[in-house]
Amino acid sequence: MSITRYSFRKGIVYAVILMIPIAHSVFAQSVHKTDWKEDLKIYKESLEQKHIDLYHSVTKEAFYNDWNTIYNSADTLNDFEIILKLMRLTRRINDGHTAVSLRSSSTHRFPFEIKWIEGRWHVTKTLPENKKLLKATLEFINDIQVDTIAQKVSEIAQFVENEYSLKERTGSYIPTAELLFHLNLIDSKTKATFGFKNQDNELVTMVLEAIPHKLWEHSEVSKIKLRVPGIKRPKTAEAGFWFAPISGTIALYIHFTDYPSFEEIQVFGEHLVALIQENELKQVIGNAGHSIPPSPG
């Protein structure tokens, strides 16, 4: 891995480049708008130099047109407006390893998490005082239906590799106050009105205030645990990487959230191939991020 660090007057942009597959992650902080034109040049040049196939989904002409629009309007846009436009442009590259990340930004979020389960956006985590929302479905925000919100957010969601990660990433971005505000879905960065349907199919309307992401990460929360009965983690397996057949199917589950040594991954791969051949498995389900825990095994 090679890491290139670019320092600016009021922030730092990190371009993290993995050689195979090549990936670019721009950790956007509060960069002053007078620095953005230089940043935008580095963004374009780095992608053209390091990406293995930058124009496989978006044409060079289309990419340049969008980039030029952002560059020429940089002096009239605020920081987050530029970041949002870069997220939209980066999504057009259609590469889950090429992304503009908000992880180092001082963003705010509404205090709940949602997952796409059986065709609905279910609340899976929230603050203890709102635990009645657990398992409820998100229906609207400020009278805008959740399907409309999810569609708009999905267009800028990062780290998207397929239709499944699109749902995962979209759900993770929906509670972000700044994104909703700059997508014109809410009219305040600090609060919004949310509509949920509980398990009795009753509509619950609540005004929620946004809190800093960092505060949410360190908050005590109430959550539901989602488990897949057909997956049992081997007792001797490492916590960060393991695999198991899914009972009653011809599928294999691979859990990969840590990066082992080269020697360990070689052994891992050999055992994996042997299991596939022995059980004639035909399908693979992988998890390289947030997990849905298996049943204890």
Side-chain angles (χ1 to χ4, degrees), residues 32-66:
H32 193 274
K33 66 181 181 181
T34 56
D35 297 321
W36 271 110
K37 286 197 171 181
E38 185 62 27
D39 297 358
L40 289 165
K41 290 178 183 177
I42 293 171
Y43 165 88
K44 177 168 67 68
E45 291 168 1
S46 297
L47 286 175
E48 291 185 321
Q49 292 170 8
K50 302 297 184 180
H51 200 287
I52 194 170
D53 188 11
L54 179 59
Y55 302 115
H56 73 283
S57 290
V58 60
T59 66
K60 186 174 183 178
E61 180 182 13
F63 181 88
Y64 268 60
N65 284 340
D66 284 0

PDB file of all heavy atoms in Angstrom, residues 32-66:
ATOM      1  N   HIS A  32     -10.685  24.892   3.162  1.00  0.00           N
ATOM      2  CA  HIS A  32     -11.177  26.215   2.787  1.00  0.00           C
ATOM      3  C   HIS A  32     -11.362  26.278   1.279  1.00  0.00           C
ATOM      4  O   HIS A  32     -10.570  25.737   0.514  1.00  0.00           O
ATOM      5  CB  HIS A  32     -10.186  27.276   3.251  1.00  0.00           C
ATOM      6  CG  HIS A  32     -10.736  28.670   3.195  1.00  0.00           C
ATOM      7  ND1 HIS A  32     -10.687  29.433   2.068  1.00  0.00           N
ATOM      8  CD2 HIS A  32     -11.372  29.414   4.135  1.00  0.00           C
ATOM      9  CE1 HIS A  32     -11.236  30.607   2.304  1.00  0.00           C
ATOM     10  NE2 HIS A  32     -11.662  30.617   3.553  1.00  0.00           N
ATOM     11  N   LYS A  33     -12.400  26.958   0.836  1.00  0.00           N
ATOM     12  CA  LYS A  33     -12.733  26.936  -0.582  1.00  0.00           C
ATOM     13  C   LYS A  33     -11.635  27.521  -1.457  1.00  0.00           C
ATOM     14  O   LYS A  33     -11.535  27.192  -2.625  1.00  0.00           O
ATOM     15  CB  LYS A  33     -14.051  27.660  -0.820  1.00  0.00           C
ATOM     16  CG  LYS A  33     -14.046  29.154  -0.530  1.00  0.00           C
ATOM     17  CD  LYS A  33     -15.413  29.749  -0.778  1.00  0.00           C
ATOM     18  CE  LYS A  33     -15.456  31.232  -0.524  1.00  0.00           C
ATOM     19  NZ  LYS A  33     -16.799  31.798  -0.734  1.00  0.00           N
ATOM     20  N   THR A  34     -10.767  28.427  -0.908  1.00  0.00           N
ATOM     21  CA  THR A  34      -9.700  28.997  -1.725  1.00  0.00           C
ATOM     22  C   THR A  34      -8.641  27.960  -2.063  1.00  0.00           C
ATOM     23  O   THR A  34      -7.811  28.187  -2.938  1.00  0.00           O
ATOM     24  CB  THR A  34      -9.041  30.187  -1.000  1.00  0.00           C
ATOM     25  OG1 THR A  34      -8.583  29.751   0.286  1.00  0.00           O
ATOM     26  CG2 THR A  34     -10.013  31.331  -0.835  1.00  0.00           C
ATOM     27  N   ASP A  35      -8.657  26.820  -1.379  1.00  0.00           N
ATOM     28  CA  ASP A  35      -7.702  25.747  -1.669  1.00  0.00           C
ATOM     29  C   ASP A  35      -8.249  24.737  -2.681  1.00  0.00           C
ATOM     30  O   ASP A  35      -7.508  23.881  -3.165  1.00  0.00           O
ATOM     31  CB  ASP A  35      -7.347  24.980  -0.386  1.00  0.00           C
ATOM     32  CG  ASP A  35      -6.654  25.847   0.641  1.00  0.00           C
ATOM     33  OD1 ASP A  35      -5.817  26.684   0.276  1.00  0.00           O
ATOM     34  OD2 ASP A  35      -6.977  25.671   1.819  1.00  0.00           O
ATOM     35  N   TRP A  36      -9.535  24.804  -2.956  1.00  0.00           N
ATOM     36  CA  TRP A  36     -10.185  23.716  -3.678  1.00  0.00           C
ATOM     37  C   TRP A  36      -9.679  23.525  -5.110  1.00  0.00           C
ATOM     38  O   TRP A  36      -9.608  22.387  -5.580  1.00  0.00           O
ATOM     39  CB  TRP A  36     -11.706  23.928  -3.707  1.00  0.00           C
ATOM     40  CG  TRP A  36     -12.380  23.323  -2.520  1.00  0.00           C
ATOM     41  CD1 TRP A  36     -12.974  23.968  -1.482  1.00  0.00           C
ATOM     42  CD2 TRP A  36     -12.511  21.925  -2.225  1.00  0.00           C
ATOM     43  NE1 TRP A  36     -13.471  23.080  -0.568  1.00  0.00           N
ATOM     44  CE2 TRP A  36     -13.202  21.813  -1.001  1.00  0.00           C
ATOM     45  CE3 TRP A  36     -12.117  20.764  -2.881  1.00  0.00           C
ATOM     46  CZ2 TRP A  36     -13.502  20.596  -0.417  1.00  0.00           C
ATOM     47  CZ3 TRP A  36     -12.416  19.537  -2.309  1.00  0.00           C
ATOM     48  CH2 TRP A  36     -13.098  19.466  -1.093  1.00  0.00           C
ATOM     49  N   LYS A  37      -9.324  24.567  -5.806  1.00  0.00           N
ATOM     50  CA  LYS A  37      -8.909  24.380  -7.195  1.00  0.00           C
ATOM     51  C   LYS A  37      -7.641  23.538  -7.282  1.00  0.00           C
ATOM     52  O   LYS A  37      -7.516  22.690  -8.176  1.00  0.00           O
ATOM     53  CB  LYS A  37      -8.733  25.735  -7.885  1.00  0.00           C
ATOM     54  CG  LYS A  37     -10.065  26.401  -8.198  1.00  0.00           C
ATOM     55  CD  LYS A  37      -9.939  27.521  -9.214  1.00  0.00           C
ATOM     56  CE  LYS A  37     -11.314  27.996  -9.658  1.00  0.00           C
ATOM     57  NZ  LYS A  37     -11.256  29.076 -10.669  1.00  0.00           N
ATOM     58  N   GLU A  38      -6.718  23.748  -6.365  1.00  0.00           N
ATOM     59  CA  GLU A  38      -5.529  22.920  -6.345  1.00  0.00           C
ATOM     60  C   GLU A  38      -5.884  21.488  -5.953  1.00  0.00           C
ATOM     61  O   GLU A  38      -5.381  20.519  -6.521  1.00  0.00           O
ATOM     62  CB  GLU A  38      -4.505  23.492  -5.356  1.00  0.00           C
ATOM     63  CG  GLU A  38      -3.167  22.758  -5.345  1.00  0.00           C
ATOM     64  CD  GLU A  38      -2.446  22.812  -6.691  1.00  0.00           C
ATOM     65  OE1 GLU A  38      -2.663  23.781  -7.459  1.00  0.00           O
ATOM     66  OE2 GLU A  38      -1.681  21.878  -6.984  1.00  0.00           O
ATOM     67  N   ASP A  39      -6.783  21.352  -4.979  1.00  0.00           N
ATOM     68  CA  ASP A  39      -7.238  20.023  -4.571  1.00  0.00           C
ATOM     69  C   ASP A  39      -7.890  19.270  -5.724  1.00  0.00           C
ATOM     70  O   ASP A  39      -7.680  18.067  -5.919  1.00  0.00           O
ATOM     71  CB  ASP A  39      -8.243  20.139  -3.426  1.00  0.00           C
ATOM     72  CG  ASP A  39      -7.649  20.759  -2.176  1.00  0.00           C
ATOM     73  OD1 ASP A  39      -6.447  21.071  -2.189  1.00  0.00           O
ATOM     74  OD2 ASP A  39      -8.396  20.938  -1.206  1.00  0.00           O
ATOM     75  N   LEU A  40      -8.719  19.988  -6.493  1.00  0.00           N
ATOM     76  CA  LEU A  40      -9.421  19.363  -7.613  1.00  0.00           C
ATOM     77  C   LEU A  40      -8.459  18.897  -8.689  1.00  0.00           C
ATOM     78  O   LEU A  40      -8.657  17.851  -9.316  1.00  0.00           O
ATOM     79  CB  LEU A  40     -10.442  20.341  -8.194  1.00  0.00           C
ATOM     80  CG  LEU A  40     -11.672  20.602  -7.315  1.00  0.00           C
ATOM     81  CD1 LEU A  40     -12.426  21.828  -7.789  1.00  0.00           C
ATOM     82  CD2 LEU A  40     -12.578  19.382  -7.298  1.00  0.00           C
ATOM     83  N   LYS A  41      -7.390  19.657  -8.915  1.00  0.00           N
ATOM     84  CA  LYS A  41      -6.368  19.232  -9.876  1.00  0.00           C
ATOM     85  C   LYS A  41      -5.708  17.939  -9.414  1.00  0.00           C
ATOM     86  O   LYS A  41      -5.493  17.008 -10.200  1.00  0.00           O
ATOM     87  CB  LYS A  41      -5.315  20.319 -10.049  1.00  0.00           C
ATOM     88  CG  LYS A  41      -5.796  21.567 -10.773  1.00  0.00           C
ATOM     89  CD  LYS A  41      -4.678  22.607 -10.837  1.00  0.00           C
ATOM     90  CE  LYS A  41      -5.145  23.895 -11.496  1.00  0.00           C
ATOM     91  NZ  LYS A  41      -4.071  24.931 -11.484  1.00  0.00           N
ATOM     92  N   ILE A  42      -5.390  17.866  -8.129  1.00  0.00           N
ATOM     93  CA  ILE A  42      -4.765  16.662  -7.575  1.00  0.00           C
ATOM     94  C   ILE A  42      -5.713  15.471  -7.671  1.00  0.00           C
ATOM     95  O   ILE A  42      -5.303  14.353  -8.012  1.00  0.00           O
ATOM     96  CB  ILE A  42      -4.346  16.908  -6.115  1.00  0.00           C
ATOM     97  CG1 ILE A  42      -3.220  17.937  -6.065  1.00  0.00           C
ATOM     98  CG2 ILE A  42      -3.902  15.605  -5.442  1.00  0.00           C
ATOM     99  CD1 ILE A  42      -2.873  18.406  -4.676  1.00  0.00           C
ATOM    100  N   TYR A  43      -6.993  15.704  -7.393  1.00  0.00           N
ATOM    101  CA  TYR A  43      -8.006  14.655  -7.496  1.00  0.00           C
ATOM    102  C   TYR A  43      -8.009  14.045  -8.904  1.00  0.00           C
ATOM    103  O   TYR A  43      -7.917  12.826  -9.075  1.00  0.00           O
ATOM    104  CB  TYR A  43      -9.369  15.269  -7.161  1.00  0.00           C
ATOM    105  CG  TYR A  43     -10.585  14.441  -7.556  1.00  0.00           C
ATOM    106  CD1 TYR A  43     -11.103  13.493  -6.692  1.00  0.00           C
ATOM    107  CD2 TYR A  43     -11.224  14.653  -8.782  1.00  0.00           C
ATOM    108  CE1 TYR A  43     -12.226  12.756  -7.043  1.00  0.00           C
ATOM    109  CE2 TYR A  43     -12.342  13.929  -9.133  1.00  0.00           C
ATOM    110  CZ  TYR A  43     -12.840  12.984  -8.261  1.00  0.00           C
ATOM    111  OH  TYR A  43     -13.950  12.249  -8.614  1.00  0.00           O
ATOM    112  N   LYS A  44      -8.090  14.900  -9.923  1.00  0.00           N
ATOM    113  CA  LYS A  44      -8.152  14.409 -11.308  1.00  0.00           C
ATOM    114  C   LYS A  44      -6.840  13.741 -11.719  1.00  0.00           C
ATOM    115  O   LYS A  44      -6.842  12.652 -12.306  1.00  0.00           O
ATOM    116  CB  LYS A  44      -8.484  15.563 -12.252  1.00  0.00           C
ATOM    117  CG  LYS A  44      -8.512  15.190 -13.743  1.00  0.00           C
ATOM    118  CD  LYS A  44      -9.125  16.276 -14.585  1.00  0.00           C
ATOM    119  CE  LYS A  44      -8.289  17.537 -14.619  1.00  0.00           C
ATOM    120  NZ  LYS A  44      -6.994  17.350 -15.342  1.00  0.00           N
ATOM    121  N   GLU A  45      -5.725  14.387 -11.416  1.00  0.00           N
ATOM    122  CA  GLU A  45      -4.426  13.847 -11.830  1.00  0.00           C
ATOM    123  C   GLU A  45      -4.129  12.512 -11.145  1.00  0.00           C
ATOM    124  O   GLU A  45      -3.597  11.583 -11.772  1.00  0.00           O
ATOM    125  CB  GLU A  45      -3.323  14.860 -11.519  1.00  0.00           C
ATOM    126  CG  GLU A  45      -3.397  16.109 -12.396  1.00  0.00           C
ATOM    127  CD  GLU A  45      -2.503  17.237 -11.897  1.00  0.00           C
ATOM    128  OE1 GLU A  45      -1.808  17.020 -10.865  1.00  0.00           O
ATOM    129  OE2 GLU A  45      -2.508  18.318 -12.514  1.00  0.00           O
ATOM    130  N   SER A  46      -4.463  12.409  -9.874  1.00  0.00           N
ATOM    131  CA  SER A  46      -4.214  11.162  -9.139  1.00  0.00           C
ATOM    132  C   SER A  46      -5.033  10.014  -9.723  1.00  0.00           C
ATOM    133  O   SER A  46      -4.532   8.894  -9.887  1.00  0.00           O
ATOM    134  CB  SER A  46      -4.546  11.345  -7.658  1.00  0.00           C
ATOM    135  OG  SER A  46      -3.708  12.300  -7.068  1.00  0.00           O
ATOM    136  N   LEU A  47      -6.301  10.290 -10.032  1.00  0.00           N
ATOM    137  CA  LEU A  47      -7.133   9.247 -10.616  1.00  0.00           C
ATOM    138  C   LEU A  47      -6.595   8.808 -11.974  1.00  0.00           C
ATOM    139  O   LEU A  47      -6.525   7.611 -12.266  1.00  0.00           O
ATOM    140  CB  LEU A  47      -8.562   9.752 -10.761  1.00  0.00           C
ATOM    141  CG  LEU A  47      -9.381   9.863  -9.474  1.00  0.00           C
ATOM    142  CD1 LEU A  47     -10.737  10.502  -9.752  1.00  0.00           C
ATOM    143  CD2 LEU A  47      -9.576   8.501  -8.837  1.00  0.00           C
ATOM    144  N   GLU A  48      -6.216   9.744 -12.807  1.00  0.00           N
ATOM    145  CA  GLU A  48      -5.724   9.405 -14.140  1.00  0.00           C
ATOM    146  C   GLU A  48      -4.405   8.643 -14.076  1.00  0.00           C
ATOM    147  O   GLU A  48      -4.149   7.750 -14.893  1.00  0.00           O
ATOM    148  CB  GLU A  48      -5.566  10.674 -14.974  1.00  0.00           C
ATOM    149  CG  GLU A  48      -6.898  11.323 -15.333  1.00  0.00           C
ATOM    150  CD  GLU A  48      -6.744  12.514 -16.254  1.00  0.00           C
ATOM    151  OE1 GLU A  48      -5.784  13.295 -16.078  1.00  0.00           O
ATOM    152  OE2 GLU A  48      -7.587  12.664 -17.157  1.00  0.00           O
ATOM    153  N   GLN A  49      -3.575   8.955 -13.102  1.00  0.00           N
ATOM    154  CA  GLN A  49      -2.273   8.300 -12.997  1.00  0.00           C
ATOM    155  C   GLN A  49      -2.356   6.936 -12.330  1.00  0.00           C
ATOM    156  O   GLN A  49      -1.622   6.013 -12.703  1.00  0.00           O
ATOM    157  CB  GLN A  49      -1.311   9.192 -12.204  1.00  0.00           C
ATOM    158  CG  GLN A  49      -0.927  10.483 -12.920  1.00  0.00           C
ATOM    159  CD  GLN A  49      -0.169  11.432 -12.011  1.00  0.00           C
ATOM    160  OE1 GLN A  49       0.211  11.089 -10.891  1.00  0.00           O
ATOM    161  NE2 GLN A  49       0.053  12.664 -12.479  1.00  0.00           N
ATOM    162  N   LYS A  50      -3.248   6.781 -11.354  1.00  0.00           N
ATOM    163  CA  LYS A  50      -3.222   5.590 -10.507  1.00  0.00           C
ATOM    164  C   LYS A  50      -4.336   4.579 -10.785  1.00  0.00           C
ATOM    165  O   LYS A  50      -4.183   3.404 -10.475  1.00  0.00           O
ATOM    166  CB  LYS A  50      -3.301   6.005  -9.034  1.00  0.00           C
ATOM    167  CG  LYS A  50      -2.194   6.951  -8.577  1.00  0.00           C
ATOM    168  CD  LYS A  50      -0.815   6.299  -8.673  1.00  0.00           C
ATOM    169  CE  LYS A  50       0.264   7.230  -8.121  1.00  0.00           C
ATOM    170  NZ  LYS A  50       1.609   6.598  -8.202  1.00  0.00           N
ATOM    171  N   HIS A  51      -5.454   5.052 -11.331  1.00  0.00           N
ATOM    172  CA  HIS A  51      -6.573   4.126 -11.519  1.00  0.00           C
ATOM    173  C   HIS A  51      -6.293   3.190 -12.686  1.00  0.00           C
ATOM    174  O   HIS A  51      -5.818   3.604 -13.734  1.00  0.00           O
ATOM    175  CB  HIS A  51      -7.869   4.895 -11.766  1.00  0.00           C
ATOM    176  CG  HIS A  51      -9.090   4.076 -11.507  1.00  0.00           C
ATOM    177  ND1 HIS A  51      -9.502   3.069 -12.346  1.00  0.00           N
ATOM    178  CD2 HIS A  51      -9.982   4.109 -10.488  1.00  0.00           C
ATOM    179  CE1 HIS A  51     -10.603   2.519 -11.861  1.00  0.00           C
ATOM    180  NE2 HIS A  51     -10.913   3.129 -10.733  1.00  0.00           N
ATOM    181  N   ILE A  52      -6.621   1.925 -12.514  1.00  0.00           N
ATOM    182  CA  ILE A  52      -6.298   0.918 -13.526  1.00  0.00           C
ATOM    183  C   ILE A  52      -7.161   1.077 -14.780  1.00  0.00           C
ATOM    184  O   ILE A  52      -6.734   0.743 -15.885  1.00  0.00           O
ATOM    185  CB  ILE A  52      -6.455  -0.503 -12.928  1.00  0.00           C
ATOM    186  CG1 ILE A  52      -5.800  -1.529 -13.849  1.00  0.00           C
ATOM    187  CG2 ILE A  52      -7.912  -0.822 -12.627  1.00  0.00           C
ATOM    188  CD1 ILE A  52      -5.685  -2.902 -13.228  1.00  0.00           C
ATOM    189  N   ASP A  53      -8.386   1.588 -14.645  1.00  0.00           N
ATOM    190  CA  ASP A  53      -9.277   1.752 -15.807  1.00  0.00           C
ATOM    191  C   ASP A  53     -10.325   2.801 -15.459  1.00  0.00           C
ATOM    192  O   ASP A  53     -11.492   2.489 -15.249  1.00  0.00           O
ATOM    193  CB  ASP A  53      -9.933   0.415 -16.158  1.00  0.00           C
ATOM    194  CG  ASP A  53     -10.711   0.478 -17.467  1.00  0.00           C
ATOM    195  OD1 ASP A  53     -10.570   1.480 -18.198  1.00  0.00           O
ATOM    196  OD2 ASP A  53     -11.464  -0.467 -17.750  1.00  0.00           O
ATOM    197  N   LEU A  54      -9.916   4.045 -15.414  1.00  0.00           N
ATOM    198  CA  LEU A  54     -10.758   5.130 -14.920  1.00  0.00           C
ATOM    199  C   LEU A  54     -12.025   5.310 -15.740  1.00  0.00           C
ATOM    200  O   LEU A  54     -13.077   5.635 -15.205  1.00  0.00           O
ATOM    201  CB  LEU A  54      -9.949   6.435 -14.915  1.00  0.00           C
ATOM    202  CG  LEU A  54     -10.666   7.699 -14.439  1.00  0.00           C
ATOM    203  CD1 LEU A  54     -11.170   7.525 -13.012  1.00  0.00           C
ATOM    204  CD2 LEU A  54      -9.721   8.904 -14.534  1.00  0.00           C
ATOM    205  N   TYR A  55     -11.948   5.078 -17.043  1.00  0.00           N
ATOM    206  CA  TYR A  55     -13.076   5.412 -17.915  1.00  0.00           C
ATOM    207  C   TYR A  55     -13.830   4.173 -18.396  1.00  0.00           C
ATOM    208  O   TYR A  55     -14.354   4.138 -19.493  1.00  0.00           O
ATOM    209  CB  TYR A  55     -12.573   6.240 -19.100  1.00  0.00           C
ATOM    210  CG  TYR A  55     -11.870   7.503 -18.648  1.00  0.00           C
ATOM    211  CD1 TYR A  55     -10.509   7.703 -18.893  1.00  0.00           C
ATOM    212  CD2 TYR A  55     -12.558   8.489 -17.947  1.00  0.00           C
ATOM    213  CE1 TYR A  55      -9.863   8.847 -18.465  1.00  0.00           C
ATOM    214  CE2 TYR A  55     -11.922   9.643 -17.511  1.00  0.00           C
ATOM    215  CZ  TYR A  55     -10.576   9.821 -17.775  1.00  0.00           C
ATOM    216  OH  TYR A  55      -9.939  10.959 -17.337  1.00  0.00           O
ATOM    217  N   HIS A  56     -13.913   3.165 -17.528  1.00  0.00           N
ATOM    218  CA  HIS A  56     -14.617   1.952 -17.945  1.00  0.00           C
ATOM    219  C   HIS A  56     -16.136   2.117 -17.885  1.00  0.00           C
ATOM    220  O   HIS A  56     -16.863   1.407 -18.583  1.00  0.00           O
ATOM    221  CB  HIS A  56     -14.195   0.755 -17.089  1.00  0.00           C
ATOM    222  CG  HIS A  56     -14.728   0.771 -15.690  1.00  0.00           C
ATOM    223  ND1 HIS A  56     -14.187   1.569 -14.697  1.00  0.00           N
ATOM    224  CD2 HIS A  56     -15.748   0.108 -15.121  1.00  0.00           C
ATOM    225  CE1 HIS A  56     -14.849   1.375 -13.578  1.00  0.00           C
ATOM    226  NE2 HIS A  56     -15.812   0.509 -13.801  1.00  0.00           N
ATOM    227  N   SER A  57     -16.631   3.063 -17.070  1.00  0.00           N
ATOM    228  CA  SER A  57     -18.072   3.283 -16.967  1.00  0.00           C
ATOM    229  C   SER A  57     -18.491   4.678 -17.382  1.00  0.00           C
ATOM    230  O   SER A  57     -19.611   4.876 -17.852  1.00  0.00           O
ATOM    231  CB  SER A  57     -18.545   3.021 -15.530  1.00  0.00           C
ATOM    232  OG  SER A  57     -18.479   1.649 -15.228  1.00  0.00           O
ATOM    233  N   VAL A  58     -17.637   5.647 -17.166  1.00  0.00           N
ATOM    234  CA  VAL A  58     -17.917   7.021 -17.576  1.00  0.00           C
ATOM    235  C   VAL A  58     -16.903   7.415 -18.645  1.00  0.00           C
ATOM    236  O   VAL A  58     -15.722   7.082 -18.532  1.00  0.00           O
ATOM    237  CB  VAL A  58     -17.835   7.984 -16.369  1.00  0.00           C
ATOM    238  CG1 VAL A  58     -16.458   7.972 -15.718  1.00  0.00           C
ATOM    239  CG2 VAL A  58     -18.222   9.404 -16.769  1.00  0.00           C
ATOM    240  N   THR A  59     -17.350   8.064 -19.694  1.00  0.00           N
ATOM    241  CA  THR A  59     -16.412   8.451 -20.750  1.00  0.00           C
ATOM    242  C   THR A  59     -15.500   9.566 -20.249  1.00  0.00           C
ATOM    243  O   THR A  59     -15.840  10.313 -19.319  1.00  0.00           O
ATOM    244  CB  THR A  59     -17.149   8.957 -22.003  1.00  0.00           C
ATOM    245  OG1 THR A  59     -17.834  10.175 -21.683  1.00  0.00           O
ATOM    246  CG2 THR A  59     -18.138   7.907 -22.507  1.00  0.00           C
ATOM    247  N   LYS A  60     -14.356   9.678 -20.878  1.00  0.00           N
ATOM    248  CA  LYS A  60     -13.415  10.732 -20.509  1.00  0.00           C
ATOM    249  C   LYS A  60     -14.054  12.101 -20.716  1.00  0.00           C
ATOM    250  O   LYS A  60     -13.882  13.016 -19.894  1.00  0.00           O
ATOM    251  CB  LYS A  60     -12.135  10.607 -21.331  1.00  0.00           C
ATOM    252  CG  LYS A  60     -11.040  11.579 -20.916  1.00  0.00           C
ATOM    253  CD  LYS A  60      -9.746  11.294 -21.665  1.00  0.00           C
ATOM    254  CE  LYS A  60      -8.627  12.231 -21.202  1.00  0.00           C
ATOM    255  NZ  LYS A  60      -7.336  11.925 -21.886  1.00  0.00           N
ATOM    256  N   GLU A  61     -14.804  12.249 -21.801  1.00  0.00           N
ATOM    257  CA  GLU A  61     -15.453  13.524 -22.086  1.00  0.00           C
ATOM    258  C   GLU A  61     -16.455  13.886 -20.991  1.00  0.00           C
ATOM    259  O   GLU A  61     -16.490  15.030 -20.508  1.00  0.00           O
ATOM    260  CB  GLU A  61     -16.163  13.460 -23.438  1.00  0.00           C
ATOM    261  CG  GLU A  61     -16.877  14.756 -23.803  1.00  0.00           C
ATOM    262  CD  GLU A  61     -17.625  14.653 -25.120  1.00  0.00           C
ATOM    263  OE1 GLU A  61     -17.792  13.516 -25.624  1.00  0.00           O
ATOM    264  OE2 GLU A  61     -18.055  15.701 -25.641  1.00  0.00           O
ATOM    265  N   ALA A  62     -17.257  12.915 -20.566  1.00  0.00           N
ATOM    266  CA  ALA A  62     -18.258  13.172 -19.533  1.00  0.00           C
ATOM    267  C   ALA A  62     -17.593  13.487 -18.201  1.00  0.00           C
ATOM    268  O   ALA A  62     -18.027  14.394 -17.471  1.00  0.00           O
ATOM    269  CB  ALA A  62     -19.187  11.974 -19.390  1.00  0.00           C
ATOM    270  N   PHE A  63     -16.531  12.735 -17.883  1.00  0.00           N
ATOM    271  CA  PHE A  63     -15.805  12.986 -16.643  1.00  0.00           C
ATOM    272  C   PHE A  63     -15.223  14.396 -16.628  1.00  0.00           C
ATOM    273  O   PHE A  63     -15.349  15.133 -15.649  1.00  0.00           O
ATOM    274  CB  PHE A  63     -14.694  11.944 -16.469  1.00  0.00           C
ATOM    275  CG  PHE A  63     -13.894  12.104 -15.205  1.00  0.00           C
ATOM    276  CD1 PHE A  63     -14.310  11.501 -14.024  1.00  0.00           C
ATOM    277  CD2 PHE A  63     -12.731  12.862 -15.187  1.00  0.00           C
ATOM    278  CE1 PHE A  63     -13.586  11.657 -12.851  1.00  0.00           C
ATOM    279  CE2 PHE A  63     -11.997  13.026 -14.020  1.00  0.00           C
ATOM    280  CZ  PHE A  63     -12.427  12.418 -12.853  1.00  0.00           C
ATOM    281  N   TYR A  64     -14.582  14.783 -17.735  1.00  0.00           N
ATOM    282  CA  TYR A  64     -13.975  16.107 -17.825  1.00  0.00           C
ATOM    283  C   TYR A  64     -15.036  17.211 -17.770  1.00  0.00           C
ATOM    284  O   TYR A  64     -14.813  18.266 -17.158  1.00  0.00           O
ATOM    285  CB  TYR A  64     -13.146  16.229 -19.108  1.00  0.00           C
ATOM    286  CG  TYR A  64     -11.693  15.865 -18.918  1.00  0.00           C
ATOM    287  CD1 TYR A  64     -11.338  14.590 -18.494  1.00  0.00           C
ATOM    288  CD2 TYR A  64     -10.684  16.793 -19.144  1.00  0.00           C
ATOM    289  CE1 TYR A  64     -10.008  14.244 -18.313  1.00  0.00           C
ATOM    290  CE2 TYR A  64      -9.346  16.456 -18.959  1.00  0.00           C
ATOM    291  CZ  TYR A  64      -9.008  15.177 -18.544  1.00  0.00           C
ATOM    292  OH  TYR A  64      -7.695  14.856 -18.340  1.00  0.00           O
ATOM    293  N   ASN A  65     -16.172  16.992 -18.408  1.00  0.00           N
ATOM    294  CA  ASN A  65     -17.233  17.997 -18.372  1.00  0.00           C
ATOM    295  C   ASN A  65     -17.707  18.240 -16.936  1.00  0.00           C
ATOM    296  O   ASN A  65     -17.869  19.392 -16.500  1.00  0.00           O
ATOM    297  CB  ASN A  65     -18.411  17.563 -19.243  1.00  0.00           C
ATOM    298  CG  ASN A  65     -18.144  17.732 -20.723  1.00  0.00           C
ATOM    299  OD1 ASN A  65     -17.261  18.494 -21.122  1.00  0.00           O
ATOM    300  ND2 ASN A  65     -18.901  17.025 -21.547  1.00  0.00           N
ATOM    301  N   ASP A  66     -17.923  17.142 -16.204  1.00  0.00           N
ATOM    302  CA  ASP A  66     -18.370  17.277 -14.818  1.00  0.00           C
ATOM    303  C   ASP A  66     -17.278  17.903 -13.954  1.00  0.00           C
ATOM    304  O   ASP A  66     -17.551  18.768 -13.111  1.00  0.00           O
ATOM    305  CB  ASP A  66     -18.761  15.913 -14.251  1.00  0.00           C
ATOM    306  CG  ASP A  66     -20.105  15.431 -14.767  1.00  0.00           C
ATOM    307  OD1 ASP A  66     -20.725  16.155 -15.568  1.00  0.00           O
ATOM    308  OD2 ASP A  66     -20.527  14.334 -14.379  1.00  0.00           O
TER     309      ASP A  66
END
